[in-house]
Amino acid sequence: MVYQIYPRSFQDSNNDGIGDLNGIKQRLPYLKKLGVDVLWLNPIYQSPDVDNGYDIADYEKIQPDFGTMTDFDQLLAAIHENGLKLVMDLVVNHTSDQHKWFQESKRSQDGPYADYYIWRDPVDGHEPNNWGASFNGSAWTYVPERGQYYLHLFAPEQPDLNWENEEVRQQVYSLMRFWLDKGIDGFRMDVINMISKVPGLPDGPLAQGAVYGDSSKFTTNGPRLNEFLQEMNREVLSQYDVMTVGEMPGVTPELAQQYTSLAGTELNMVFQFEHVSLAGNPDRRLGKWNDQPIKLSELKKSLSRWQEGLDGKGWNSLYWNNHDQPRAVSRFATDDSKYRAKAAKMLGTTLHFLQGTPYVYEGEELGMTNAHYTQLQQYEDIESLNAFHEYVEKEKIVDEQTMLEYLAHMSRDNARTPMQWDDTQNAGFSAAKPWFALNPNYREINAKDELAEQDSVFYYYQKLIKLRHQEAVIRYGSYQLLDPKDEQVFAYLREFQGTTLLVINNFTTETVERDYDQGKGKLLLANYPAGKLTELRPYESRAYLL
Ligand code: GLC
Ligand code: CA
């Protein structure tokens, strides 16, 4: 299983308020104790930080805030000494506009880097098509020196690389080798299914009343994606013993069968977005922004589709949250206060006993919650701020209070508050003022208390991880959903070589009665002390070996 670290918010070692590589090194004993196998670090490369490191200016340099290349080499060595592996973020759909390639590319229409990005002539003095960018506004920005527009599916400071250009691909492979030759153990590939665009870049569909078209049909899972991934695999990945996971918005199980095929010609796993996109806004223009609960039957349907779709054909990644998603317990449980710890354990059980590789995002193992911010000034993330300005101030399609509620529910900043290590000032994250405010609940929710309390979320996660290592049925078993329409309980079976695992999870704050014939099984794990056999208390989870 993989533990995700958001380096800015994990541990500050030199008291400048920003988490860093030496901070991660200091916390290896904690991660060892939890029992994780692999660490994935969000980007640590040189970056102007318009999108917190997802805008890379130099792929072969460490962001000075995080330390030096020597610090990196020492961290990697320490990770390996501890028997752990390291996966790095690979962000190659786009670079920073400060990258040398872009600085050269924007100067003129000829020159060695002219074709490294996606440049188009104006059409009738306007943008080449109607596409909107992920962080609002047009996906095109005009550069007078070239008299052309360049494409950026994210912020204007994140120009998209032109993967049609063979030289660009070779540059990417070379930077991958740079890190692999240092001995890293794999890559998490940022929006990697966006590297092949449909030729001609046609206009996207317009939602009712929307200013910009939706480009996704023409920019995700594009016509040359398999070819590019196979080439990358042939030229680079297959030469090393590594794991890969591709972040893929809009991927389907059918496509993931190709991308993660067990033949091993592309990637090992993908991050799909279906289960984190189930609640939406009825006003399509507002995209992901909403404050709606998720219907359990839909969550079950979606996760089951992926379980069944990839069984024996590909491999799933399993996650509730990451640096782009709100905190699991605040989102997938309706109560993150009174029953917070129970709910956190229940969610852990539901996810970790599925087939696939589980990912735990820093603080999830403590049951950390959303920040519950109420004012715009408390936010930092470019996506959240841009969305507010666009929808509240510019387009005026939502009022301020409602949008603040959407941010509180969905903002990426909920995941980015510093790690809560203890109850001292700044939660033991830093002696200086942290780059981003702490969640005020750090005095009640922190690693120190969790480690001191036998019945904590931390030790429950430790058990989940250990059980996966021990029980083949958890790793390899087939999957069968029970009672798909049940809106209160998520129950399923896993089966492997004559062993059956029954997993039962109450997703509500109510006590409910359910009979799955659990009496004939042996209890493997539960988040409550023994109770009545068929009674499930609020957020109760039980797993039985039958
Ligand atoms: C991915 C990253 C996200 C980033 C975006 C653009 O979705 O996870 O944090 O903003 O790509 O690079
Ligand atoms: Ca620091």
Side-chain angles (χ1 to χ4, degrees):
M1 59 79 55
V2 183
Y3 186 91
Q4 182 190 351
I5 294 180
Y6 196 66
R8 293 184 78 77
S9 296
F10 194 61
Q11 176 66 60
D12 178 16
S13 72
N14 62 347
N15 295 322
D16 62 357
I18 303 174
D20 47 52
L21 299 178
N22 286 330
I24 298 171
K25 200 168 76 191
Q26 286 169 19
R27 294 296 184 181
L28 290 179
Y30 169 86
L31 298 166
K32 228 8 226 174
K33 182 158 194 170
L34 184 58
V36 308
D37 303 312
V38 178
L39 305 180
W40 151 33
L41 304 189
N42 287 103
I44 55 168
Y45 317 95
Q46 200 169 83
S47 162
D49 273 339
V50 169
D51 184 21
N52 284 359
Y54 282 95
D55 45 322
I56 298 173
D58 190 330
Y59 289 95
E60 296 179 7
K61 291 222 168 75
I62 300 288
Q63 171 77 332
D65 284 343
F66 294 147
T68 63
M69 193 57 91
T70 309
D71 296 334
F72 174 81
D73 293 337
Q74 286 172 358
L75 173 62
L76 179 60
I79 287 171
H80 286 161
E81 274 158 31
N82 276 282
L84 305 173
K85 307 251 184 219
L86 178 67
V87 161
M88 302 268 284
D89 223 301
L90 181 73
V91 189
V92 288
N93 172 68
H94 45 268
T95 69
S96 161
D97 65 340
Q98 301 305 306
H99 195 289
K100 175 183 93 204
W101 302 336
F102 188 76
Q103 290 295 310
E104 291 293 322
S105 192
K106 72 172 195 184
R107 278 168 43 187
S108 81
Q109 293 198 25
D110 31 49
Y113 298 93
D115 202 24
Y116 266 49
Y117 295 85
I118 301 173
W119 294 97
R120 291 291 182 276
D121 291 332
V123 174
D124 302 330
H126 292 287
E127 287 81 1
N129 69 24
N130 72 354
W131 294 356
S134 267
F135 300 149
N136 295 101
S138 168
W140 296 95
T141 292
Y142 185 71
V143 173
E145 291 103 304
R146 277 185 68 136
Q148 287 184 311
Y149 286 90
Y150 67 89
L151 178 70
H152 52 86
L153 294 176
F154 294 88
E157 296 88 348
Q158 295 168 296
D160 280 51
L161 281 166
N162 176 18
W163 275 71
E164 304 289 326
N165 180 345
E166 153 102 57
E167 219 178 290
V168 166
R169 303 203 298 276
Q170 288 304 326
Q171 292 273 19
V172 169
Y173 304 154
S174 137
L175 74 90
M176 290 172 74
R177 286 186 203 106
F178 173 86
W179 290 99
L180 291 166
D181 288 338
K182 278 184 172 290
I184 70 160
D185 305 289
F187 288 112
R188 173 269 186 189
M189 303 184 184
D190 193 60
V191 291
I192 199 68
N193 66 334
M194 291 164 78
I195 57 179
S196 163
K197 279 85 175 166
V198 169
L201 314 181
D203 276 346
L206 267 181
Q208 177 105 47
V211 182
Y212 297 104
D214 174 4
S215 70
S216 54
K217 228 172 99 190
F218 306 112
T219 53
T220 55
N221 312 312
R224 297 186 69 188
L225 181 59
N226 291 103
E227 176 198 335
F228 292 158
L229 292 176
Q230 282 162 21
E231 182 184 85
M232 177 195 276
N233 185 295
R234 227 176 20 248
E235 297 214 8
V236 189
L237 300 170
S238 61
Q239 314 293 314
Y240 301 83
D241 181 16
V242 292
M243 69 156 261
T244 51
V245 49
E247 188 205 25
M248 297 198 174
V251 69
T252 61
E254 294 68 39
L255 288 168
Q257 285 174 5
Q258 302 170 18
Y259 306 140
T260 74
S261 143
L262 301 178
T265 50
E266 298 187 15
L267 304 176
N268 297 134
M269 292 170 258
V270 301
F271 285 133
Q272 54 93 5
F273 281 67
E274 214 174 81
H275 68 299
V276 292
S277 315
L278 291 172
N281 203 297
D283 184 341
R284 297 261 320 277
R285 293 172 298 178
L286 290 166
K288 78 175 219 179
W289 301 103
N290 78 90
D291 60 356
Q292 295 303 303
I294 292 157
K295 214 171 154 196
L296 185 62
S297 57
E298 282 175 16
L299 178 66
K300 296 197 288 191
K301 190 166 146 203
S302 163
L303 289 173
S304 302
R305 205 160 90 88
W306 281 87
Q307 287 291 296
E308 287 153 11
L310 295 194
D311 185 34
K313 303 205 175 85
W315 193 246
N316 270 299
S317 67
L318 308 167
Y319 72 97
W320 284 131
N321 47 200
N322 57 39
H323 66 293
D324 292 330
Q325 301 292 337
R327 290 279 175 185
V329 71
S330 303
R331 184 185 203 180
F332 291 97
T334 41
D335 184 300
D336 72 1
S337 53
K338 184 168 169 211
Y339 293 113
R340 181 190 62 83
K342 292 284 185 222
K345 293 173 190 173
M346 183 281 288
L347 289 170
T349 314
T350 307
L351 195 84
H352 281 245
F353 287 166
L354 293 174
Q355 189 190 76
T357 297
Y359 288 72
V360 171
Y361 179 67
E362 64 179 44
E364 179 187 338
E365 77 283 12
L366 311 175
M368 274 177 66
T369 69
N370 273 0
H372 299 297
Y373 288 148
T374 54
Q375 287 163 30
L376 188 65
Q377 300 80 271
Q378 293 173 293
Y379 290 91
E380 204 275 335
D381 166 39
I382 180 173
E383 183 193 47
S384 306
L385 297 176
N386 285 3
F388 186 95
H389 293 309
E390 180 73 24
Y391 302 132
V392 176
E393 290 160 8
K394 245 173 102 191
E395 297 181 35
K396 299 192 179 27
I397 55 177
V398 61
D399 66 84
E400 178 173 341
Q401 198 46 45
T402 307
M403 191 64 197
L404 285 172
E405 276 154 31
Y406 293 167
L407 291 184
H409 192 61
M410 288 298 290
S411 170
R412 311 196 293 183
D413 276 339
N414 286 305
R416 298 178 180 185
T417 59
M419 183 69 176
Q420 296 168 199
W421 293 107
D422 59 38
D423 58 1
T424 63
Q425 211 197 358
N426 302 328
F429 165 71
S430 173
K433 186 168 178 266
W435 72 276
F436 186 47
L438 284 148
N439 187 324
N441 66 15
Y442 74 88
R443 290 183 202 278
E444 295 88 56
I445 305 170
N446 60 66
K448 184 168 152 257
D449 288 356
E450 289 278 313
L451 288 169
E453 164 71 57
Q454 269 209 342
D455 187 34
S456 66
V457 180
F458 180 92
Y459 289 119
Y460 194 89
Y461 264 71
Q462 189 188 55
K463 276 187 219 149
L464 287 170
I465 295 166
K466 208 176 186 172
L467 283 170
R468 169 168 286 266
H469 288 142
Q470 281 168 3
E471 302 289 339
V473 64
I474 299 175
R475 298 196 300 279
Y476 306 121
S478 63
Y479 168 90
Q480 190 197 334
L481 179 65
L482 300 173
D483 301 335
K485 297 216 168 74
D486 190 329
E487 294 294 353
Q488 294 174 305
V489 178
F490 190 160
Y492 59 83
L493 296 172
R494 301 282 311 282
E495 218 157 336
F496 183 67
Q497 294 182 347
T499 306
T500 302
L501 174 75
L502 166 67
V503 187
I504 307 170
N505 302 287
N506 179 2
F507 266 69
T508 74
T509 54
E510 272 137 55
T511 297
V512 300
E513 282 275 333
R514 292 291 186 280
D515 188 355
Y516 304 97
D517 213 2
Q518 50 267 51
K520 66 174 199 226
K522 172 180 154 264
L523 191 68
L524 184 68
L525 184 68
N527 63 349
Y528 272 90
K532 235 182 96 191
L533 190 62
T534 54
E535 202 175 79
L536 297 167
R537 287 154 284 186
Y539 296 113
E540 181 157 0
S541 264
R542 293 197 208 156
Y544 296 89
L545 281 177
L546 306 182

